[in-house]
């Protein structure tokens, strides 16, 4: 680092660099509070669905929309909100999203009916979409390349833990205080996070650019049609929605609009929303494919597991979530270690074994599912999943962002987070369709006289945490085990993708310094 231009503060040589490093870490810890909250909210509702149905007197279709509305509102704007951070400042966008998310959490808890709750969840999703890309932007722009891996490790640990803390926290809150508290708990957390971000996170330089309004419209419409079609395809049996409009028309229309969007991005000579040049970087492209696989796998694997534990083995929502807790514990402990290690080794040597462990453990869990498998044996695969997850998050995130310049950080993080979230939506839709198909097939094969047929679908009751008849335990276990092959095989395929990561170029120690802290005029001067 070059010597500071102003007189050095008292202290040992390098004191200014140490101070900047401490400020960067302090800012990151402030940011991950809100990031953790929005990721938890992606999964916490699943364990509260029966209570919401009873409390708001709604049916299963109504309560499914509570989660679908959040996923749609979260996924659709992500590509746009990354660039909004570039234009108006990532701190401003993060705080705006955090305020919207916190206020809409209060709205969710006070919702008098299902329609109001769905509308509030849309607002929550929009707030989360504003926040998510800014976190990676801050990491890319505040940390020099040689220390960015450790920061990505923290980011990965938060993402891994949040996916399982959601169901556990949901079960505890519903069992003790009521479903409203899965939303009310966000309010004090959100207020504290706002304070910490306001105080600890610097204003980074903005990139003054023209705004691609046509790109915004095309990308938003394309994302909405594709995500809505995938998410709701099973609701309409992948057929007619209304009149002559089918699910496939929606998805096909979305794909066509996406093609138009990409064509426009190539033709736009000013400031395109999505710089296609990002994908000339092989590592960025491969990392996006890999993180889509991770988003799909981690979303799709939890539903069959929790369903089996509740509906076949008779565990409460809290206990069933705790059976998967080893994954969260192992991932939380090891992800920061993997983050530091990723700076010293080729990231593919962490990502490929990580995906292989993660996917192989999911497949093993599926093969173990029988009505009487010992509970201790079901605790082994989650430990391996946690180990694999800890390696995947920092290695893939680091690979995606390592070669991005500061001016590309917003666009790159927006694309990366959009890809992950689209993978999650795909996983949710595909696992629901696969589970329904396999449960119906296995139930028919069981040929039990008193067993419900496909039309009466024990899956519907089981999805709401009700017990499956004893005669169907074997069939139901087999169907859920077969369903788990989907996320397991996708993760194994992602392991193959990561083998093609290119070895990162060596970085000079001072090649990329953190951007200026601009909270106060006195700290504007760069070293």
């Amino acid at each position: 680092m070059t010597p500071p231009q102003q007189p050095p503060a008292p202290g040992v040589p390098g004191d200014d660099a140490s101070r900047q490093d401490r400020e960067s870490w302090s800012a990151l810890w402030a940011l991950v509070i809100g990031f953790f909250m929005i990721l938890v909210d992606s999964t916490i509702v699943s364990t509260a669905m029966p209570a919401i149905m009873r409390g708001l007197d709604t049916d299963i279709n109504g309560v499914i929309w509570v989660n679908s509305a959040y996923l749609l509102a979260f996924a659709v704007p992500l590509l746009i909100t990354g660039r909004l951070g570039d234009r108006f400042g990532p701190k401003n966008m993060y705080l705006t999203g955090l305020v919207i998310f916190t206020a809409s959490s209060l709205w969710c808890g006070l919702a008098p009916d299902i329609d109001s709750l769905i509308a509030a969840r849309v607002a929550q999703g929009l707030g989360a979409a504003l926040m998510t890309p800014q976190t990676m932007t801050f990491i890319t722009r505040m940390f020099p390349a040689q220390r960015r891996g450790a920061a990505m490790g923290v980011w990965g640990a938060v993402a891994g833990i949040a996916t399982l803390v959601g169901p556990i926290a949901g079960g505890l809150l519903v069992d003790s205080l009521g479903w409203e508290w899965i939303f009310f708990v966000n309010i004090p957390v959100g207020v504290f996070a706002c304070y910490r971000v306001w105080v600890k996170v610097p204003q980074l330089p903005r990139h003054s650019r023209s705004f691609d309004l046509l790109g915004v419209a095309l990308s938003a419409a394309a994302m909405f049609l594709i995500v809505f079609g995938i998410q709701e395809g099973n609701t309409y049996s992948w057929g007619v929605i209304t009149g002559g409009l089918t699910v496939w028309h929606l998805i096909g229309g979305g794909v066509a609009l996406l093609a138009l969007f990409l064509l426009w991005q190539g033709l736009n000579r000013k400031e395109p929303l999505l710089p296609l040049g990002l994908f000339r970087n092989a590592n960025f492209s491969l990392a996006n494919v890999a993180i889509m696989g991770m988003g799909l796998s981690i979303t799709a694997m939890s539903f069959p597991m929790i369903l089996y534990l509740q509906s076949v083995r008779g565990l409460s929502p809290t206990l069933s979530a705790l059976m998967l807790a080893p994954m969260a514990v192992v991932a939380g402990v090891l992800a920061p270690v993997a983050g530091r290690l990723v700076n010293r080794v080729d990231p593919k040597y962490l990502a490929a074994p990580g995906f292989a462990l993660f996917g192989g453990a999911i497949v093993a869990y599926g093969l173990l599912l029988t009505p009487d498998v010992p509970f201790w044996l079901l605790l082994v695969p989650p430990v391996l999943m946690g180990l694999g997850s800890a390696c995947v998050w920092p290695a893939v995130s680091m690979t995606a962002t390592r070669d991005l310049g500061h001016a590309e950080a917003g666009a790159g993080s927006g694309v990366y987070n959009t890809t992950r979230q689209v993978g999650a939506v795909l996983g949710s839709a595909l696992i629901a369709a696969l589970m329904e198909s396999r449960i119906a097939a296995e139930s028919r094969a069981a040929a039990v006289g008193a067993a419900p047929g496909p039309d009466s679908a024990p899956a519907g009751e089981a999805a709401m945490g009700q017990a499956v008849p004893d005669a169907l335990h074997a069939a139901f276990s087999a169907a859920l085990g077969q369903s788990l092959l989907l996320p397991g095989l996708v993760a194994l395929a992602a392991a193959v993708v990561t083998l093609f990561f290119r070895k990162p170029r060596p970085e000079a120690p001072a090649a990329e310094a953190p951007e200026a802290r601009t909270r106060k005029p006195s700290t504007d001067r760069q070293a």
Side-chain angles (χ1 to χ4, degrees):
M1 192 170 194
T2 56
Q5 300 303 312
Q6 67 271 26
V12 297
D15 184 63
D16 187 57
S18 299
R19 178 184 59 79
Q20 288 194 354
D21 194 49
R22 287 194 302 271
E23 287 179 358
S24 295
W25 280 104
S26 182
L28 178 62
W29 285 114
L31 290 164
V32 298
I33 297 170
F35 183 58
F36 178 81
M37 181 172 65
I38 62 176
L39 289 179
V40 165
D41 227 66
S42 299
T43 56
I44 197 170
V45 172
S46 59
T47 50
M49 282 185 173
I52 293 173
M53 287 181 67
R54 293 190 298 269
L56 298 182
D57 191 25
T58 187
D59 58 15
I60 188 170
N61 287 330
V63 80
I64 284 176
W65 261 107
V66 173
N67 206 41
S68 298
Y70 180 80
L71 286 173
L72 284 167
F74 193 169
V76 169
L78 276 174
L79 190 61
I80 303 163
T81 55
R83 297 308 295 265
L84 286 175
D86 282 346
R87 178 71 183 271
F88 300 107
K91 178 177 180 178
N92 295 336
M93 286 298 100
Y94 188 94
L95 283 171
T96 300
L98 186 54
V99 169
I100 292 172
F101 188 92
T102 304
S104 57
S105 295
L106 177 62
W107 182 9
C108 287
L110 297 175
D113 52 51
I114 193 66
D115 292 335
S116 181
L117 180 56
I118 290 170
R121 288 285 281 170
V122 170
Q124 266 194 324
L126 291 173
L130 284 169
M131 294 167 63
T132 300
Q134 318 312 331
T135 309
M136 282 187 66
T137 298
F138 271 107
I139 293 174
T140 304
R141 294 171 65 177
M142 288 194 308
F143 287 87
Q146 65 269 23
R147 291 200 296 275
R148 200 176 297 157
M152 286 296 184
V154 171
W155 185 87
V158 169
I161 294 171
T163 54
L164 287 180
V165 167
I168 295 171
L172 291 171
L173 289 169
V174 170
D175 288 344
S176 58
L177 297 172
W179 68 264
E180 298 89 347
W181 283 89
I182 67 172
F183 302 113
F184 287 150
V185 74
N186 291 336
I187 298 168
V189 177
V191 170
F192 177 70
C194 281
Y195 166 73
R196 295 295 294 174
V197 170
W198 182 266
V199 172
K200 295 294 183 180
V201 176
Q203 288 283 5
L204 300 183
R206 305 177 191 181
H207 301 288
S208 181
R209 299 170 173 171
S210 59
F211 203 64
D212 184 6
L213 294 178
L214 180 57
V216 169
L218 288 173
S219 65
M223 283 294 301
F224 177 80
L225 290 176
I226 293 172
V227 172
F228 184 89
I230 292 169
Q231 185 74 22
E232 292 301 307
N234 199 54
T235 302
Y236 297 100
S237 300
W238 300 95
V240 176
I241 297 174
T242 181
L245 183 67
T246 69
V247 169
W248 294 109
H249 287 150
L250 282 184
I251 296 175
V255 171
L257 286 177
L258 183 60
L260 284 175
F261 167 71
L262 293 175
L263 178 62
W264 167 242
Q265 296 306 285
L267 295 173
N268 188 352
R269 298 304 179 195
K270 294 183 179 179
E271 289 287 346
L273 185 65
L274 173 63
L276 296 182
L278 288 173
F279 294 96
R280 295 193 189 100
N281 184 298
N283 278 348
F284 181 81
S285 299
L286 292 170
N288 273 273
V289 174
I291 204 63
M292 177 181 281
M294 190 61 173
L296 189 155
S297 297
I298 206 164
T299 301
M301 63 95 179
S302 59
F303 192 22
M305 291 176 179
I306 289 179
L307 208 55
Y308 164 82
L309 293 168
Q310 290 186 22
S311 303
V312 177
R313 305 306 294 267
L315 298 184
S316 69
T318 302
L319 288 176
S320 63
L322 287 172
M323 285 292 294
L324 302 181
M327 176 179 166
V329 173
V330 173
V333 171
L334 294 182
V337 177
R340 289 191 292 271
L341 187 60
V342 81
N343 280 323
R344 304 188 184 116
V345 301
D346 191 331
K348 72 180 178 185
Y349 295 135
L350 288 177
F355 269 118
L357 270 176
F358 188 74
I362 296 174
V363 171
Y365 199 103
L367 296 176
L368 286 173
L369 292 193
T370 62
D372 54 2
V373 60
F375 281 117
W376 70 265
L377 195 55
L378 293 176
L379 292 172
V380 176
V383 172
L384 299 178
M385 291 178 212
L387 178 58
S389 175
C391 295
V392 165
W393 290 104
V396 177
S397 302
M398 184 69 168
T399 301
T401 60
R402 183 190 294 268
D403 298 328
L404 295 184
H406 292 166
E408 298 172 321
S413 60
V415 172
Y416 184 83
N417 283 286
T418 299
T419 304
R420 176 177 58 82
Q421 190 66 14
V422 169
V425 175
L426 275 170
S428 178
L430 291 173
I431 199 66
L434 185 58
M435 285 167 57
E436 183 178 13
S437 171
R438 297 315 307 153
I439 288 170
E442 291 293 334
S443 297
R444 284 194 299 266
V448 178
D455 293 335
S456 54
E461 294 181 8
M464 302 319 298
Q466 304 300 320
V468 173
D470 290 347
L472 285 175
H473 278 187
F476 203 80
S477 300
L480 294 177
Q482 293 161 15
S483 300
L484 283 171
L485 295 179
L486 169 67
L489 292 175
V490 168
L492 291 174
V496 176
V497 170
T498 61
L499 289 174
F500 293 92
F501 283 173
R502 293 180 179 176
K503 187 175 181 179
R505 298 188 302 268
E507 297 281 355
E512 266 185 87
E515 292 200 14
R517 276 64 173 162
T518 56
R519 278 197 301 270
K520 300 177 183 178
S522 61
T523 59
D524 280 345
R525 287 172 292 182
Q526 280 282 39

